[in-house]
């Protein structure tokens, strides 16, 4: 038997994947010629590629995370009863144990939560302030006839500035907004943790507490978009004074205790292939949302999900708060960022929790905004090395004003989203080498222009041609 006292001190610095691989899925290399033809046929839109033609898929960290042995075992326990399934009560208990709100409503994914909430409480002429609204959140708010207003701090709009909590909402701007509009025009404030569209940047506890105070003063509810709440909690532990000794679970509970409710895509920090949730304290909202839920999602104890999904999510939302996992998650994402930065690749800093964001405008500084530099980079990345990434910039958020002139967003980023527990360090080394090589030949990247631009969420289905 090994006695603990007999073991030598371990000084290894590498933070390893805290799991071993039990099931594998082959991935296939394509030739550069094949990829050039495939992306052309896809109208130069990586979303339109077949997944089997992608070598390493960093399009999103959503729904793609590998599930644990406990989750797979839970799937066998799934209760598929239409009403009152025991899987729902397990799900409700797990969510309430962390979020702490009174009412828990399952949905099939994040945007279903957004749609239900917006249909229930957002009216034409309303304004929903937030740090940076995610694209589907913004689309759902606008679909309800309201304005989605981004009030992230100034540092959050500058890709170069180092700041520990670039996802923070500007509290003075929030206060001014609520003074101007009043509770009658603001149904709620929504803070996204971490701030995905702003580079996966965390929000500090002090900022959440500040936002809570402003909201209380104006009698406006504060909600969290909690897609990546566990990563946010771990950043607080690492970066905010007073939290180093607290567990991620305790920090997460404190974050939610400052809110009146939350929306979540459980395809992220609940390790789910599918799933979402709305969690609220207001009985009135719960009642309104439940009525709408029955119209489109299903009975309130399954909300568009199978019982087995509810089981997997109930286990996943607790597993995600494991400190070994979160340490590895944040360190392995930073590993990609650190090595790319050392190669001189322009990146958003500091590194986010779930993704590294390339600065499209700087990477392709030979292209104008009209030539869609970030999008062109994502196309070149696929063609060059078979890696699929997602532009979060000119295509996703560019708008034409009343005179037809383009308004470009502050940041034109390409997100390398890292699926949870899916790829190994050597996959990431390949990505780093490929991007480094592409960066050395960046002037050869050609600009693109729209062939077809749908009016809503254009990035998903738009087509392009080379300039
Ligand atoms: C912050 C945030 N909110 C909402 C959503 C929408 O969730 P879903 O894709 O499950 O509809 C996402 C998805 O990426 C997200 O990152």
């Amino acid at each position: 038997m090994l006695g603990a006292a007999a073991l030598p001190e371990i000084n290894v610095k590498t933070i390893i994947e805290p799991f071993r691989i039990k099931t594998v899925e082959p991935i296939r290399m394509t030739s550069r010629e094949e990829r050039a033809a495939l992306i052309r046929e896809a109208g130069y839109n990586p979303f339109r590629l077949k997944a089997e033609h992608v070598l390493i898929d960093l399009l999103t960290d959503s729904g793609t995370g590998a599930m644990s042995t406990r989750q797979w075992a839970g799937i066998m326990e799934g209760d598929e009863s239409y009403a009152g399934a025991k899987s729902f009560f397990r799900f409700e208990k797990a969510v309430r144990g962390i979020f702490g709100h009174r009412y828990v409503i399952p949905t099939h994914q994040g945007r279903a939560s957004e749609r239900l909430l917006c249909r229930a409480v957002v009216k034409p002429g309303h304004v929903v302030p937030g740090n940076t609204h995610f694209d589907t959140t913004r689309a759902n708010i606008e679909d309800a006839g309201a304005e989605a207003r981004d009030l992230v701090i100034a540092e959050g709009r500058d890709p170069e500035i180092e700041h520990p909590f670039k996802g923070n909402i500007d509290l003075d701007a929030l206060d001014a907004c609520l003074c101007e509009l009043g509770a009658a025009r603001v149904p709620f404030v929504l803070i996204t943790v971490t701030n995905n569209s702003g580079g996966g940047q965390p929000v500090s506890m002090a900022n959440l507490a500040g936002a809570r105070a402003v909201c209380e003063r104006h009698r406006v509810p504060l909600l969290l978009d909690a897609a990546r709440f566990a990563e946010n909690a771990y950043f607080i532990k690492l970066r905010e004074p007073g939290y180093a000794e607290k567990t991620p679970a305790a920090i997460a509970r404190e974050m939610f205790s400052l809110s009146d409710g939350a929306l979540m895509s459980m395809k992220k920090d609940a390790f789910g292939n599918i799933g979402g949730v709305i969690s609220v304290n207001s009985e009135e909202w719960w009642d309104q949302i439940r009525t709408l839920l029955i119209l489109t999602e299903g009975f309130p104890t399954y909300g568009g999900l199978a019982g087995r999904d509810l089981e997997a999510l109930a286990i996943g939302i607790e597993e995600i708060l494991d400190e070994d996992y979160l340490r590895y998650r944040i360190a392995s994402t930073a590993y990609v960022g650190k090595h790319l930065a050392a190669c001189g690749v322009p990146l958003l800093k500091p590194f986010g929790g779930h993704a590294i964001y390339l600065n499209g405008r700087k990477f392709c500084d030979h292209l104008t905004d009209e030539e869609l530099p970030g999008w062109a980079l994502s196309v070149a990345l696929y063609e060059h090395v078979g890696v699929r990434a997602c532009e979060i910039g000119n295509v996703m958020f560019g708008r034409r004003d009343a005179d037809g002139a383009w308004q470009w967003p502050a940041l034109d980023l390409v997100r390398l989203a890292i699926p949870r527990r899916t790829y190994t360090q050597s996959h990431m080394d390949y990505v780093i080498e490929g991007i480094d090589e592409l960066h050395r030949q960046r002037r050869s990247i050609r600009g693109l222009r729209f062939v077809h631009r749908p009016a809503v969420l254009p990035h998903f289905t738009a087509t392009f041609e080379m300039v």
Side-chain angles (χ1 to χ4, degrees):
M1 211 181 96
L2 276 177
L7 287 174
E9 247 339 282
I10 297 176
N11 264 325
V12 176
K13 292 196 189 62
T14 304
I15 294 172
I16 61 165
E17 288 85 359
F19 49 81
R20 54 186 179 174
I21 296 164
K22 199 159 185 166
T23 309
V24 295
E25 184 181 3
I27 50 176
R28 195 176 74 87
M29 184 58 121
T30 43
S31 69
R32 190 176 175 141
E33 289 67 40
E34 280 177 302
R35 290 193 297 275
L38 289 164
I39 192 74
R40 193 171 54 244
E41 281 160 25
Y44 295 106
N45 184 340
F47 279 96
R48 294 163 60 106
L49 288 167
K50 285 189 178 161
E52 65 185 301
H53 295 141
V54 176
L55 182 68
I56 296 182
D57 206 345
L58 307 184
L59 187 69
T60 173
D61 59 322
S62 183
T64 46
M67 286 201 289
S68 68
T69 48
R70 276 188 64 223
Q71 285 180 292
W72 283 110
I75 277 179
M76 292 307 295
E77 295 268 331
D79 177 352
E80 306 303 339
S81 304
Y82 187 93
K86 66 174 183 286
S87 300
F88 167 72
F89 296 105
R90 273 209 272 272
F91 173 87
E92 183 185 49
K93 188 168 173 232
V95 172
R96 196 179 281 142
I98 299 163
F99 290 22
H101 308 121
R102 227 165 283 146
Y103 302 104
V104 174
I105 306 159
T107 64
H108 79 269
Q109 65 182 89
R111 71 200 69 183
S113 304
E114 292 160 0
R115 179 153 180 86
L116 291 166
L117 179 77
C118 289
R119 282 272 145 152
V121 304
V122 179
K123 304 286 172 246
H126 278 176
V127 175
V128 179
N131 44 356
T132 312
H133 292 289
F134 183 65
D135 58 354
T136 58
T137 324
R138 167 174 293 282
N140 273 302
I141 293 167
E142 290 174 355
D143 189 57
E147 180 194 332
R149 195 174 290 181
D150 290 342
L151 299 177
V152 74
I153 53 169
E155 291 89 334
R157 285 189 294 268
D158 184 329
E160 306 290 332
I161 290 184
E162 291 273 355
H163 182 290
F165 293 103
K166 272 172 116 168
N168 283 355
I169 194 165
D170 181 330
L171 294 173
D172 292 336
L174 177 64
D175 194 37
C177 173
L178 297 186
C179 282
E180 174 205 334
L181 300 167
R185 285 193 57 204
V186 181
F188 54 87
V189 171
L190 182 68
I191 299 189
T192 303
V193 294
T194 57
N195 192 25
N196 185 7
S197 299
Q201 301 293 319
V203 178
S204 70
M205 194 73 81
N207 189 252
L208 289 176
R212 166 96 222 153
V214 173
C215 286
E216 253 173 27
R217 217 168 33 248
H218 293 275
R219 298 179 175 281
V220 171
L222 173 64
L223 305 191
L224 299 184
D225 176 339
R228 299 178 182 81
F229 76 94
E231 290 172 8
N232 200 90
Y234 196 68
F235 275 122
I236 288 177
K237 181 177 171 78
L238 291 180
R239 297 182 182 169
E240 192 160 352
Y243 288 92
E245 300 307 321
K246 297 202 171 158
T247 64
I251 298 172
R253 283 193 196 99
E254 188 176 333
M255 285 163 53
F256 286 112
S257 74
L258 296 166
S259 74
D260 300 288
L263 304 177
M264 181 180 182
S265 165
M266 301 186 85
K267 301 169 75 176
K268 284 83 175 174
D269 274 4
F271 284 134
N273 296 140
I274 195 74
V277 73
I278 306 173
S279 162
V280 287
N281 281 331
S282 157
E283 187 175 351
E284 193 190 330
W285 282 18
W286 173 63
D287 197 45
Q288 284 168 270
I289 293 165
R290 220 173 30 152
T291 305
L292 292 165
L293 181 92
I294 293 170
L295 280 180
T296 59
E297 296 277 302
F299 194 72
T301 59
Y302 73 86
L305 292 168
R308 56 181 171 271
D309 297 324
L310 293 168
E311 289 284 343
L313 295 169
I315 295 165
I317 202 164
E318 288 177 354
E319 277 187 356
I320 200 94
L321 288 164
D322 174 62
E323 204 153 334
D324 284 344
Y325 163 75
L326 286 168
R327 183 183 305 111
Y328 140 79
R329 172 70 171 161
I330 302 304
S332 57
T333 303
Y335 174 90
V336 178
K338 202 175 88 187
H339 285 273
L340 285 174
C343 299
V345 175
L347 304 172
L348 186 135
K349 292 196 194 114
F351 308 131
H354 67 295
I356 294 299
Y357 294 69
L358 309 178
N359 183 337
R361 281 188 193 125
K362 233 175 164 178
F363 199 112
C364 297
D365 56 7
H366 57 295
L367 300 180
T368 62
D369 271 321
E370 282 70 16
E371 292 170 322
L372 310 173
W375 196 273
L377 170 56
S378 71
V379 167
L381 188 58
Y382 173 70
E383 211 177 299
H384 195 69
V385 279
V387 172
R388 176 157 70 167
C390 178
E391 186 250 42
I392 298 194
N394 286 9
V395 171
M396 194 181 275
F397 294 123
R399 301 262 164 127
R400 281 187 192 276
D401 63 19
D403 305 327
W406 281 106
Q407 300 295 321
W408 302 115
L411 302 174
D412 184 42
L413 304 172
V414 175
R415 184 185 70 174
L416 308 169
I418 305 180
R420 295 170 182 75
R421 305 191 291 205
T422 304
Y423 293 114
T424 62
Q425 186 169 324
S426 60
H427 289 119
M428 291 303 121
D429 287 337
Y430 172 88
V431 171
I432 293 162
E433 280 170 36
I435 294 175
D436 179 30
E437 204 178 276
L438 183 62
H439 185 240
R440 289 168 202 272
Q441 12 179 309
R442 60 190 179 277
R443 297 273 147 76
S444 66
I445 297 175
R446 289 180 56 191
L448 295 163
R449 64 174 154 247
F450 284 105
V451 172
H452 170 63
R453 184 178 182 277
V456 178
L457 298 171
H459 50 293
F460 287 130
T461 51
T463 53
F464 303 84
E465 63 188 4
M466 291 271 177
V467 173

